[in-house]
Amino acid sequence: MKNTVLSMLEQSEDFVSGEYLSNVLGVSRTAVWKSIKKLREEGYEIKSVTNRGYMLVKKPDLLSAEEISDGLDVSFVGKQIEVLKTVDSTNNEIKRRAAAGAESGLLIAAERQTGGKGRIGRIWQSDEGKGVYFTFLLRPDMPPNEVAEITLAAGYGVCAAVREYTGLDARIKWPNDIVVGSRKLCGILTEMTAQIEKVEYVAVGIGINVNHKEFSEELKDKATSLYIETGHGINRNDFLRAVISELDKVAEQFLKGFTEEHRSKFKELCVTLNRKVTSVRGGKTIEGIAVDITDEGDLIVRDSSGSLININSGEVVVQGIY
Ligand code: BTN
């Protein structure tokens, strides 16, 4: 009922009378008024004028599953979408749901995370209402060693969506950060539960800095947002819809098997290649030039002696980037 009132107000550029709403919906004027009251409580700005009715003036800047799903046609990612106001971590929530039997394709976004997680045990700062924080569940039929490529694929999907939606020159910092210039825009944390032979489920958690106008002293040289880069605010529902649509396309390609063309598109957007990188593995520092990425998603580094070394995890510092 509340949603029907909302969509009728959205479709009209003028006032819509309470009488008209109650006739079309077959409910009392008081019921219409109660819906208006609820919408106002949710942050919708609705003007009301005696004898003219109601007019929608401004929508709240809130994530809404309904708005994200509007016109979205997906087969793998976001088949079911939920938005939570507050959660410890959307990754944790997806893992809880997966353990309880949730289906592949479920996506959970949150306005705020009280315990947002980054890679290598770091914290992901999740300011309320500014970023887009979400996790989707996949139950791919594959061995655990192929999961790393899902994360690369997700990074590619987000990067492509940011480029398309904003026109920014977003790039991938291997394995799965998205950067604009030398600062980080997005991070991805993939977690999985598996037996030795087979994956049970994968939770792909993505955090994108969207409407942050500034960052703390500690982060300001390392992090950026779409607002900072484009100079204007972004409608998070529309943007998230674009990201999900791109992730769904990439998931389909991934599940069918990536071709050389997909891999070369990834490499074209990868800012790590042909740069000097440093990585610490097992207490040993590897330094060299990143020359390629294997089909399994490993980074190949040529060190000063000319040896080629595969790096498949851990932190890689890329010269010139945060
Ligand atoms: C990183 O760059 O270290 C990864 C950051 C991943 C952050 C996202 S926000 C949504 C999802 N929930 C979490 O707790 N983490 C991921």
Side-chain angles (χ1 to χ4, degrees):
M1 158 76 172
K2 178 193 78 188
N3 292 336
T4 323
V5 171
L6 177 61
S7 78
M8 288 175 75
L9 293 182
E10 277 176 333
Q11 279 161 34
S12 169
E13 281 175 12
D14 204 346
F15 284 91
V16 183
S17 78
E19 189 181 355
Y20 176 77
L21 287 168
S22 76
N23 286 342
V24 172
L25 299 170
V27 296
S28 68
R29 298 272 297 265
T30 315
V32 169
W33 182 81
K34 280 190 182 154
S35 294
I36 297 283
K37 191 165 167 268
K38 272 195 208 143
L39 288 168
R40 283 182 174 148
E41 280 163 9
E42 286 174 20
Y44 289 88
E45 217 177 287
I46 298 169
K47 204 165 160 183
S48 66
V49 173
T50 324
N51 295 330
R52 295 191 71 191
Y54 305 102
M55 184 162 74
L56 180 61
V57 181
K58 202 171 163 218
K59 290 188 194 177
D61 179 26
L62 287 178
L63 287 175
S64 135
E66 209 169 42
E67 287 205 28
I68 298 164
S69 313
D70 192 18
L72 187 67
D73 183 15
V74 288
S75 313
F76 300 96
V77 178
K79 284 200 287 179
Q80 201 196 327
I81 296 178
E82 284 182 37
V83 173
L84 305 175
K85 186 125 186 56
T86 303
V87 71
D88 53 350
S89 146
T90 53
N91 272 35
N92 291 353
E93 183 63 19
I94 280 288
K95 290 197 288 178
R96 289 190 284 265
R97 301 291 187 94
E103 281 182 27
S104 188
L106 170 65
L107 183 146
I108 296 184
E111 285 289 356
R112 174 170 171 256
Q113 299 185 110
T114 52
K117 302 187 292 185
R119 289 172 58 227
I120 337 177
R122 294 190 184 131
I123 290 170
W124 183 262
Q125 199 179 310
S126 311
D127 299 342
E128 180 163 5
K130 290 190 183 155
V132 166
Y133 320 113
F134 68 99
T135 303
F136 60 88
L137 173 67
L138 289 181
R139 294 186 181 276
D141 185 7
M142 61 172 52
N145 64 335
E146 287 178 21
V147 167
E149 222 186 357
I150 291 190
T151 315
L152 297 190
Y156 176 81
V158 175
C159 188
V162 169
R163 294 174 72 87
E164 173 79 21
Y165 194 87
T166 63
L168 292 171
D169 186 20
R171 302 269 166 169
I172 304 160
K173 176 177 173 266
W174 184 92
N176 47 33
D177 286 353
I178 309 301
V179 298
V180 178
S182 60
R183 293 185 291 171
K184 179 161 165 172
L185 180 76
C186 161
I188 303 182
L189 174 68
T190 301
E191 298 182 75
M192 73 167 161
T193 296
Q195 272 92 53
I196 291 172
E197 298 283 300
K198 195 181 169 315
V199 169
E200 192 185 322
Y201 67 81
V202 180
V204 184
I206 301 180
I208 312 173
N209 300 328
V210 180
N211 285 328
H212 300 66
K213 292 192 174 155
E214 58 193 5
F215 288 94
S216 62
E217 196 56 37
E218 188 202 342
L219 287 178
K220 77 178 194 326
D221 294 332
K222 299 180 189 160
T224 191
S225 71
L226 294 181
Y227 183 96
I228 292 170
E229 297 297 331
T230 61
H232 59 77
I234 299 283
N235 179 307
R236 291 179 305 146
N237 288 313
D238 291 346
F239 172 65
L240 184 50
R241 190 186 314 116
V243 171
I244 295 171
S245 167
E246 204 58 49
L247 286 170
D248 186 61
K249 273 194 234 159
V250 182
E252 180 173 14
Q253 292 163 1
F254 171 77
L255 294 167
K256 282 186 183 158
F258 280 147
T259 60
E260 249 344 281
E261 193 191 337
H262 296 132
R263 293 204 165 91
S264 68
K265 274 192 189 166
F266 179 93
K267 289 179 197 173
E268 267 169 40
L269 290 183
C270 182
V271 79
T272 312
L273 290 177
N274 304 318
R275 292 212 190 209
K276 199 168 165 200
V277 297
T278 311
S279 168
V280 180
R281 194 172 58 178
K284 201 172 152 236
T285 303
I286 297 161
E287 243 179 16
I289 304 289
V291 289
D292 205 354
I293 295 168
T294 68
D295 288 358
E296 290 71 41
D298 294 356
L299 188 68
I300 307 179
V301 176
R302 180 181 292 121
D303 71 9
S304 54
S305 71
S307 306
L308 295 176
I309 305 159
N310 280 29
I311 300 180
N312 57 20
S313 64
E315 198 58 348
V316 171
V317 177
V318 183
Q319 195 177 51
I321 298 182
Y322 59 87

